[in-house]
Amino acid sequence: MPSYKLTYFNGRGTAEIVRLVLAAAGMEYEDVRLEQDQWPELKPNTPMGQLPILEMDGTMLCQSNSIARYVAKLAGLAGKTPLDQARVDMVMDGMVDMGNKFAYEIYYEKDEDKKAEKKKDYVEKYVPQFFSSLNKLASDGGYFAGDELTLADIAFYNMVTMVNPYLEQPLSLDGFPNLEKVVDNVTSNPGIAKWLKERPETPY
């Protein structure tokens, strides 16, 4: 049985999707959390000069979604069929779009007036339209691929909870019953429920 070590900073950030999948899978791992002043020494020894990284038996992987997909495949959370796996990837890529739009249009905006305007547009226009599409992709049982929990469901939950702290009010799932069930399915997974209860409180 290989040993796993996940290294990131002391926050949820881009590593949290990996932690959630590991939790869902019930896989034990070493959760290494660096302080900022520890990063320069490690950086030259990483595959692409970035975190998170997952190490197992002398092999190192980077890129959070690639790591998450790898763990999901090991744990049977990547989709049962090639079509299900493609649907998982489709939703994963959609979450990247959702996150990038928030980051580049809102989070990194320096002008507070522009930020407020873009945030309003994001919450009132972009998200409802996007969630409407996602609600149609999810089954009435609350799964994006097949009839059981996959990485796609976890990725949706992770993105919503990643964005919410930066908004005045959490993103609403009212009117999107299938997405509400997706969140319920994720948070009721025993491994994830345990992780959400026990994970460290961090600034981000």
Side-chain angles (χ1 to χ4, degrees):
M1 184 77 176
S3 60
Y4 298 95
K5 180 167 75 170
L6 179 67
T7 303
Y8 189 63
F9 301 108
N10 187 30
R12 298 177 189 174
T14 55
E16 196 63 15
I17 181 66
V18 181
R19 296 187 185 115
L20 288 168
V21 180
L22 286 163
M27 293 171 62
E28 294 186 2
Y29 68 102
E30 183 181 356
D31 187 14
V32 178
R33 294 169 180 255
L34 299 181
E35 297 300 329
Q36 290 291 336
D37 60 3
Q38 296 175 293
W39 172 228
E41 182 178 352
L42 176 62
K43 185 175 181 177
N45 299 315
T46 61
M48 295 185 183
Q50 56 190 224
L51 296 176
I53 53 172
L54 181 71
E55 297 175 75
M56 58 282 179
D57 292 347
T59 299
M60 188 180 294
L61 294 177
C62 70
Q63 295 289 345
S64 56
N65 282 345
S66 293
I67 298 171
R69 287 185 175 102
Y70 170 73
V71 174
K73 289 173 183 176
L74 293 178
L77 295 167
K80 290 181 178 179
T81 68
L83 181 57
D84 284 346
Q85 292 163 13
R87 289 176 65 87
V88 169
D89 285 341
M90 178 175 67
V91 173
M92 289 281 287
D93 290 345
M95 293 305 100
V96 172
D97 290 344
M98 181 179 171
N100 284 345
K101 185 173 181 66
F102 178 83
Y104 294 116
E105 294 189 10
I106 299 171
Y107 185 80
Y108 295 122
E109 175 60 63
K110 301 300 183 183
D111 185 297
E112 291 301 322
D113 290 335
K114 289 181 179 179
K115 177 177 287 193
E117 182 179 340
K118 290 177 179 179
K119 189 181 294 186
K120 185 174 185 293
D121 183 77
Y122 186 83
V123 171
E124 296 181 3
K125 295 182 180 179
Y126 170 76
V127 167
Q129 291 174 359
F130 190 42
F131 279 10
S132 179
S133 297
L134 291 173
N135 191 66
K136 295 173 185 175
L137 292 175
S139 69
D140 57 10
Y143 301 107
F144 282 114
D147 57 1
E148 61 185 24
L149 189 73
T150 65
L151 176 58
D153 310 313
I154 298 170
F156 173 75
Y157 169 78
N158 180 63
M159 182 54 63
V160 171
T161 54
M162 184 183 295
V163 169
N164 274 343
Y166 300 97
L167 303 173
E168 281 69 30
Q169 293 183 334
L171 295 174
S172 175
L173 296 180
D174 291 345
F176 307 114
N178 295 348
L179 297 184
E180 288 183 325
K181 290 181 181 178
V182 169
V183 170
D184 288 343
N185 288 336
V186 172
T187 55
S188 63
N189 173 273
I192 290 179
K194 183 174 185 291
W195 171 249
L196 295 179
K197 182 179 180 180
E198 297 177 355
R199 69 183 176 184
E201 288 294 329
T202 57
Y204 63 93

mmCIF file of all heavy atoms in Angstrom, residues 98 123 127-128 130-132 134-135 144 153 156-157 159-161 164 169-185 187:
data_model
loop_
_atom_site.group_PDB
_atom_site.id
_atom_site.type_symbol
_atom_site.label_atom_id
_atom_site.label_comp_id
_atom_site.label_asym_id
_atom_site.label_seq_id
_atom_site.Cartn_x
_atom_site.Cartn_y
_atom_site.Cartn_z
ATOM 1 N N MET A 98 -15.909 28.591 -13.857
ATOM 2 C CA MET A 98 -16.590 29.342 -12.800
ATOM 3 C C MET A 98 -15.588 29.994 -11.858
ATOM 4 O O MET A 98 -15.740 31.163 -11.467
ATOM 5 C CB MET A 98 -17.523 28.405 -12.028
ATOM 6 C CG MET A 98 -18.305 29.076 -10.910
ATOM 7 S SD MET A 98 -19.410 27.902 -10.067
ATOM 8 C CE MET A 98 -19.937 28.935 -8.675
ATOM 9 N N VAL A 123 -23.203 37.240 -9.331
ATOM 10 C CA VAL A 123 -24.209 36.606 -8.478
ATOM 11 C C VAL A 123 -25.596 36.619 -9.118
ATOM 12 O O VAL A 123 -26.330 35.623 -9.046
ATOM 13 C CB VAL A 123 -24.248 37.300 -7.099
ATOM 14 C CG1 VAL A 123 -25.429 36.797 -6.275
ATOM 15 C CG2 VAL A 123 -22.938 37.072 -6.358
ATOM 16 N N VAL A 127 -24.098 33.325 -12.399
ATOM 17 C CA VAL A 127 -24.315 32.109 -11.617
ATOM 18 C C VAL A 127 -25.690 31.497 -11.864
ATOM 19 O O VAL A 127 -25.789 30.279 -12.100
ATOM 20 C CB VAL A 127 -24.070 32.364 -10.113
ATOM 21 C CG1 VAL A 127 -24.597 31.208 -9.269
ATOM 22 C CG2 VAL A 127 -22.580 32.561 -9.850
ATOM 23 N N PRO A 128 -26.784 32.271 -11.832
ATOM 24 C CA PRO A 128 -28.084 31.646 -12.104
ATOM 25 C C PRO A 128 -28.155 30.974 -13.476
ATOM 26 O O PRO A 128 -28.725 29.881 -13.608
ATOM 27 C CB PRO A 128 -29.064 32.815 -12.006
ATOM 28 C CG PRO A 128 -28.403 33.779 -11.086
ATOM 29 C CD PRO A 128 -26.942 33.673 -11.417
ATOM 30 N N PHE A 130 -25.598 29.776 -15.222
ATOM 31 C CA PHE A 130 -24.711 28.608 -15.186
ATOM 32 C C PHE A 130 -25.332 27.483 -14.365
ATOM 33 O O PHE A 130 -25.313 26.310 -14.768
ATOM 34 C CB PHE A 130 -23.353 29.009 -14.621
ATOM 35 C CG PHE A 130 -22.295 27.961 -14.749
ATOM 36 C CD1 PHE A 130 -22.153 27.214 -15.905
ATOM 37 C CD2 PHE A 130 -21.410 27.718 -13.705
ATOM 38 C CE1 PHE A 130 -21.167 26.238 -16.028
ATOM 39 C CE2 PHE A 130 -20.415 26.753 -13.816
ATOM 40 C CZ PHE A 130 -20.303 26.005 -14.976
ATOM 41 N N PHE A 131 -25.910 27.818 -13.220
ATOM 42 C CA PHE A 131 -26.543 26.814 -12.366
ATOM 43 C C PHE A 131 -27.749 26.185 -13.055
ATOM 44 O O PHE A 131 -28.063 25.010 -12.827
ATOM 45 C CB PHE A 131 -26.946 27.425 -11.025
ATOM 46 C CG PHE A 131 -25.810 27.536 -10.037
ATOM 47 C CD1 PHE A 131 -24.503 27.304 -10.423
ATOM 48 C CD2 PHE A 131 -26.057 27.890 -8.718
ATOM 49 C CE1 PHE A 131 -23.451 27.412 -9.518
ATOM 50 C CE2 PHE A 131 -25.028 28.001 -7.803
ATOM 51 C CZ PHE A 131 -23.722 27.759 -8.203
ATOM 52 N N SER A 132 -28.444 26.956 -13.863
ATOM 53 C CA SER A 132 -29.575 26.405 -14.610
ATOM 54 C C SER A 132 -29.108 25.299 -15.546
ATOM 55 O O SER A 132 -29.739 24.237 -15.654
ATOM 56 C CB SER A 132 -30.270 27.509 -15.414
ATOM 57 O OG SER A 132 -31.342 26.986 -16.161
ATOM 58 N N LEU A 134 -26.271 23.550 -15.173
ATOM 59 C CA LEU A 134 -25.768 22.445 -14.345
ATOM 60 C C LEU A 134 -26.910 21.636 -13.740
ATOM 61 O O LEU A 134 -26.813 20.413 -13.608
ATOM 62 C CB LEU A 134 -24.876 22.992 -13.229
ATOM 63 C CG LEU A 134 -23.529 23.576 -13.649
ATOM 64 C CD1 LEU A 134 -22.837 24.219 -12.461
ATOM 65 C CD2 LEU A 134 -22.627 22.500 -14.258
ATOM 66 N N ASN A 135 -27.996 22.311 -13.383
ATOM 67 C CA ASN A 135 -29.140 21.621 -12.794
ATOM 68 C C ASN A 135 -29.721 20.606 -13.775
ATOM 69 O O ASN A 135 -30.189 19.536 -13.378
ATOM 70 C CB ASN A 135 -30.205 22.632 -12.380
ATOM 71 C CG ASN A 135 -31.290 22.019 -11.522
ATOM 72 O OD1 ASN A 135 -31.043 21.595 -10.387
ATOM 73 N ND2 ASN A 135 -32.497 21.959 -12.057
ATOM 74 N N PHE A 144 -23.985 13.991 -11.119
ATOM 75 C CA PHE A 144 -23.668 14.474 -12.451
ATOM 76 C C PHE A 144 -23.316 13.343 -13.425
ATOM 77 O O PHE A 144 -23.447 13.498 -14.633
ATOM 78 C CB PHE A 144 -22.479 15.454 -12.406
ATOM 79 C CG PHE A 144 -22.852 16.829 -11.939
ATOM 80 C CD1 PHE A 144 -22.361 17.328 -10.744
ATOM 81 C CD2 PHE A 144 -23.682 17.638 -12.696
ATOM 82 C CE1 PHE A 144 -22.691 18.606 -10.312
ATOM 83 C CE2 PHE A 144 -24.030 18.919 -12.276
ATOM 84 C CZ PHE A 144 -23.525 19.400 -11.083
ATOM 85 N N ASP A 153 -19.382 15.719 -8.637
ATOM 86 C CA ASP A 153 -20.229 16.216 -7.550
ATOM 87 C C ASP A 153 -19.390 16.927 -6.490
ATOM 88 O O ASP A 153 -19.755 17.996 -5.994
ATOM 89 C CB ASP A 153 -20.993 15.050 -6.908
ATOM 90 C CG ASP A 153 -21.703 14.185 -7.930
ATOM 91 O OD1 ASP A 153 -22.377 14.737 -8.817
ATOM 92 O OD2 ASP A 153 -21.562 12.946 -7.847
ATOM 93 N N PHE A 156 -18.203 20.352 -7.744
ATOM 94 C CA PHE A 156 -19.242 21.383 -7.674
ATOM 95 C C PHE A 156 -19.355 21.918 -6.255
ATOM 96 O O PHE A 156 -19.348 23.137 -6.032
ATOM 97 C CB PHE A 156 -20.592 20.828 -8.131
ATOM 98 C CG PHE A 156 -21.723 21.804 -7.926
ATOM 99 C CD1 PHE A 156 -21.875 22.905 -8.769
ATOM 100 C CD2 PHE A 156 -22.613 21.638 -6.877
ATOM 101 C CE1 PHE A 156 -22.899 23.821 -8.567
ATOM 102 C CE2 PHE A 156 -23.642 22.548 -6.669
ATOM 103 C CZ PHE A 156 -23.789 23.648 -7.518
ATOM 104 N N TYR A 157 -19.461 21.030 -5.302
ATOM 105 C CA TYR A 157 -19.544 21.455 -3.903
ATOM 106 C C TYR A 157 -18.340 22.292 -3.510
ATOM 107 O O TYR A 157 -18.470 23.341 -2.870
ATOM 108 C CB TYR A 157 -19.654 20.234 -2.990
ATOM 109 C CG TYR A 157 -19.475 20.565 -1.529
ATOM 110 C CD1 TYR A 157 -20.513 21.129 -0.796
ATOM 111 C CD2 TYR A 157 -18.256 20.353 -0.897
ATOM 112 C CE1 TYR A 157 -20.340 21.466 0.543
ATOM 113 C CE2 TYR A 157 -18.073 20.672 0.438
ATOM 114 C CZ TYR A 157 -19.116 21.236 1.147
ATOM 115 O OH TYR A 157 -18.942 21.582 2.467
ATOM 116 N N MET A 159 -16.317 24.134 -5.367
ATOM 117 C CA MET A 159 -16.267 25.459 -5.983
ATOM 118 C C MET A 159 -17.249 26.412 -5.320
ATOM 119 O O MET A 159 -16.927 27.579 -5.051
ATOM 120 C CB MET A 159 -16.558 25.357 -7.484
ATOM 121 C CG MET A 159 -16.471 26.693 -8.216
ATOM 122 S SD MET A 159 -14.893 27.570 -7.951
ATOM 123 C CE MET A 159 -13.746 26.399 -8.697
ATOM 124 N N VAL A 160 -18.457 25.938 -5.048
ATOM 125 C CA VAL A 160 -19.455 26.792 -4.400
ATOM 126 C C VAL A 160 -18.965 27.250 -3.033
ATOM 127 O O VAL A 160 -19.058 28.429 -2.681
ATOM 128 C CB VAL A 160 -20.801 26.053 -4.277
ATOM 129 C CG1 VAL A 160 -21.766 26.849 -3.406
ATOM 130 C CG2 VAL A 160 -21.415 25.836 -5.657
ATOM 131 N N THR A 161 -18.419 26.324 -2.257
ATOM 132 C CA THR A 161 -17.966 26.690 -0.911
ATOM 133 C C THR A 161 -16.660 27.478 -0.943
ATOM 134 O O THR A 161 -16.335 28.171 0.029
ATOM 135 C CB THR A 161 -17.783 25.425 -0.045
ATOM 136 O OG1 THR A 161 -16.904 24.500 -0.705
ATOM 137 C CG2 THR A 161 -19.125 24.751 0.192
ATOM 138 N N ASN A 164 -18.077 31.217 -1.878
ATOM 139 C CA ASN A 164 -19.027 31.813 -0.936
ATOM 140 C C ASN A 164 -18.417 32.772 0.094
ATOM 141 O O ASN A 164 -19.009 33.819 0.385
ATOM 142 C CB ASN A 164 -19.813 30.717 -0.211
ATOM 143 C CG ASN A 164 -21.027 30.264 -0.999
ATOM 144 O OD1 ASN A 164 -21.485 30.948 -1.916
ATOM 145 N ND2 ASN A 164 -21.555 29.103 -0.656
ATOM 146 N N GLN A 169 -23.528 37.235 0.495
ATOM 147 C CA GLN A 169 -24.435 36.141 0.826
ATOM 148 C C GLN A 169 -24.019 34.903 0.031
ATOM 149 O O GLN A 169 -23.573 35.025 -1.112
ATOM 150 C CB GLN A 169 -25.887 36.506 0.499
ATOM 151 C CG GLN A 169 -26.450 37.623 1.369
ATOM 152 C CD GLN A 169 -27.913 37.889 1.047
ATOM 153 O OE1 GLN A 169 -28.376 37.628 -0.054
ATOM 154 N NE2 GLN A 169 -28.647 38.406 2.022
ATOM 155 N N PRO A 170 -24.174 33.727 0.613
ATOM 156 C CA PRO A 170 -23.817 32.507 -0.117
ATOM 157 C C PRO A 170 -24.611 32.373 -1.410
ATOM 158 O O PRO A 170 -25.755 32.836 -1.495
ATOM 159 C CB PRO A 170 -24.177 31.387 0.867
ATOM 160 C CG PRO A 170 -24.219 32.043 2.212
ATOM 161 C CD PRO A 170 -24.676 33.445 1.972
ATOM 162 N N LEU A 171 -24.024 31.746 -2.410
ATOM 163 C CA LEU A 171 -24.732 31.498 -3.656
ATOM 164 C C LEU A 171 -25.964 30.642 -3.372
ATOM 165 O O LEU A 171 -25.885 29.638 -2.668
ATOM 166 C CB LEU A 171 -23.827 30.780 -4.658
ATOM 167 C CG LEU A 171 -22.607 31.576 -5.134
ATOM 168 C CD1 LEU A 171 -21.727 30.688 -6.018
ATOM 169 C CD2 LEU A 171 -23.025 32.829 -5.883
ATOM 170 N N SER A 172 -27.088 31.047 -3.929
ATOM 171 C CA SER A 172 -28.343 30.361 -3.648
ATOM 172 C C SER A 172 -28.557 29.193 -4.609
ATOM 173 O O SER A 172 -28.323 29.299 -5.813
ATOM 174 C CB SER A 172 -29.519 31.343 -3.774
ATOM 175 O OG SER A 172 -30.749 30.655 -3.620
ATOM 176 N N LEU A 173 -29.020 28.087 -4.048
ATOM 177 C CA LEU A 173 -29.401 26.935 -4.858
ATOM 178 C C LEU A 173 -30.912 26.813 -4.968
ATOM 179 O O LEU A 173 -31.425 25.811 -5.485
ATOM 180 C CB LEU A 173 -28.819 25.651 -4.262
ATOM 181 C CG LEU A 173 -27.293 25.555 -4.230
ATOM 182 C CD1 LEU A 173 -26.858 24.228 -3.610
ATOM 183 C CD2 LEU A 173 -26.701 25.682 -5.634
ATOM 184 N N ASP A 174 -31.630 27.835 -4.499
ATOM 185 C CA ASP A 174 -33.086 27.841 -4.624
ATOM 186 C C ASP A 174 -33.472 27.781 -6.090
ATOM 187 O O ASP A 174 -32.953 28.538 -6.919
ATOM 188 C CB ASP A 174 -33.675 29.104 -3.993
ATOM 189 C CG ASP A 174 -33.542 29.132 -2.485
ATOM 190 O OD1 ASP A 174 -33.252 28.066 -1.908
ATOM 191 O OD2 ASP A 174 -33.707 30.209 -1.885
ATOM 192 N N GLY A 175 -34.371 26.897 -6.414
ATOM 193 C CA GLY A 175 -34.792 26.742 -7.798
ATOM 194 C C GLY A 175 -33.945 25.751 -8.573
ATOM 195 O O GLY A 175 -34.201 25.509 -9.761
ATOM 196 N N PHE A 176 -32.932 25.189 -7.908
ATOM 197 C CA PHE A 176 -32.068 24.202 -8.554
ATOM 198 C C PHE A 176 -32.050 22.929 -7.699
ATOM 199 O O PHE A 176 -31.047 22.606 -7.055
ATOM 200 C CB PHE A 176 -30.652 24.754 -8.727
ATOM 201 C CG PHE A 176 -30.604 26.087 -9.420
ATOM 202 C CD1 PHE A 176 -30.181 27.226 -8.744
ATOM 203 C CD2 PHE A 176 -30.994 26.207 -10.751
ATOM 204 C CE1 PHE A 176 -30.139 28.455 -9.376
ATOM 205 C CE2 PHE A 176 -30.954 27.433 -11.396
ATOM 206 C CZ PHE A 176 -30.530 28.560 -10.712
ATOM 207 N N PRO A 177 -33.166 22.203 -7.683
ATOM 208 C CA PRO A 177 -33.305 21.062 -6.767
ATOM 209 C C PRO A 177 -32.268 19.964 -6.987
ATOM 210 O O PRO A 177 -31.837 19.322 -6.025
ATOM 211 C CB PRO A 177 -34.722 20.541 -7.049
ATOM 212 C CG PRO A 177 -35.044 21.035 -8.438
ATOM 213 C CD PRO A 177 -34.358 22.364 -8.540
ATOM 214 N N ASN A 178 -31.866 19.754 -8.227
ATOM 215 C CA ASN A 178 -30.875 18.704 -8.475
ATOM 216 C C ASN A 178 -29.521 19.079 -7.897
ATOM 217 O O ASN A 178 -28.783 18.220 -7.396
ATOM 218 C CB ASN A 178 -30.752 18.430 -9.970
ATOM 219 C CG ASN A 178 -32.028 17.853 -10.568
ATOM 220 O OD1 ASN A 178 -32.934 17.452 -9.850
ATOM 221 N ND2 ASN A 178 -32.105 17.823 -11.890
ATOM 222 N N LEU A 179 -29.189 20.378 -7.961
ATOM 223 C CA LEU A 179 -27.915 20.831 -7.386
ATOM 224 C C LEU A 179 -27.955 20.771 -5.862
ATOM 225 O O LEU A 179 -26.936 20.477 -5.225
ATOM 226 C CB LEU A 179 -27.596 22.247 -7.858
ATOM 227 C CG LEU A 179 -27.395 22.429 -9.365
ATOM 228 C CD1 LEU A 179 -26.989 23.861 -9.689
ATOM 229 C CD2 LEU A 179 -26.359 21.443 -9.899
ATOM 230 N N GLU A 180 -29.120 21.050 -5.282
ATOM 231 C CA GLU A 180 -29.257 20.914 -3.839
ATOM 232 C C GLU A 180 -28.983 19.469 -3.415
ATOM 233 O O GLU A 180 -28.329 19.213 -2.403
ATOM 234 C CB GLU A 180 -30.661 21.332 -3.394
ATOM 235 C CG GLU A 180 -30.914 22.829 -3.477
ATOM 236 C CD GLU A 180 -32.296 23.211 -2.969
ATOM 237 O OE1 GLU A 180 -33.239 22.407 -3.174
ATOM 238 O OE2 GLU A 180 -32.430 24.288 -2.375
ATOM 239 N N LYS A 181 -29.464 18.533 -4.229
ATOM 240 C CA LYS A 181 -29.242 17.122 -3.912
ATOM 241 C C LYS A 181 -27.778 16.733 -4.113
ATOM 242 O O LYS A 181 -27.256 15.886 -3.386
ATOM 243 C CB LYS A 181 -30.163 16.248 -4.764
ATOM 244 C CG LYS A 181 -31.631 16.353 -4.362
ATOM 245 C CD LYS A 181 -32.510 15.461 -5.224
ATOM 246 C CE LYS A 181 -33.974 15.596 -4.822
ATOM 247 N NZ LYS A 181 -34.861 14.771 -5.696
ATOM 248 N N VAL A 182 -27.130 17.356 -5.103
ATOM 249 C CA VAL A 182 -25.696 17.113 -5.284
ATOM 250 C C VAL A 182 -24.948 17.471 -4.007
ATOM 251 O O VAL A 182 -24.127 16.689 -3.500
ATOM 252 C CB VAL A 182 -25.132 17.921 -6.472
ATOM 253 C CG1 VAL A 182 -23.603 17.879 -6.472
ATOM 254 C CG2 VAL A 182 -25.668 17.393 -7.801
ATOM 255 N N VAL A 183 -25.231 18.661 -3.477
ATOM 256 C CA VAL A 183 -24.573 19.107 -2.252
ATOM 257 C C VAL A 183 -24.900 18.170 -1.088
ATOM 258 O O VAL A 183 -24.019 17.809 -0.290
ATOM 259 C CB VAL A 183 -24.975 20.556 -1.917
ATOM 260 C CG1 VAL A 183 -24.494 20.952 -0.518
ATOM 261 C CG2 VAL A 183 -24.408 21.509 -2.959
ATOM 262 N N ASP A 184 -26.162 17.754 -0.989
ATOM 263 C CA ASP A 184 -26.549 16.828 0.080
ATOM 264 C C ASP A 184 -25.782 15.510 -0.028
ATOM 265 O O ASP A 184 -25.329 14.958 0.984
ATOM 266 C CB ASP A 184 -28.057 16.553 0.025
ATOM 267 C CG ASP A 184 -28.892 17.743 0.471
ATOM 268 O OD1 ASP A 184 -28.328 18.650 1.120
ATOM 269 O OD2 ASP A 184 -30.098 17.757 0.164
ATOM 270 N N ASN A 185 -25.645 15.016 -1.252
ATOM 271 C CA ASN A 185 -24.940 13.746 -1.447
ATOM 272 C C ASN A 185 -23.462 13.856 -1.070
ATOM 273 O O ASN A 185 -22.879 12.920 -0.519
ATOM 274 C CB ASN A 185 -25.062 13.289 -2.901
ATOM 275 C CG ASN A 185 -26.458 12.804 -3.248
ATOM 276 O OD1 ASN A 185 -27.219 12.381 -2.378
ATOM 277 N ND2 ASN A 185 -26.810 12.862 -4.525
ATOM 278 N N THR A 187 -22.050 16.151 1.089
ATOM 279 C CA THR A 187 -21.860 16.402 2.515
ATOM 280 C C THR A 187 -22.303 15.236 3.394
ATOM 281 O O THR A 187 -21.916 15.161 4.563
ATOM 282 C CB THR A 187 -22.590 17.678 2.958
ATOM 283 O OG1 THR A 187 -23.978 17.583 2.597
ATOM 284 C CG2 THR A 187 -21.991 18.905 2.271
#
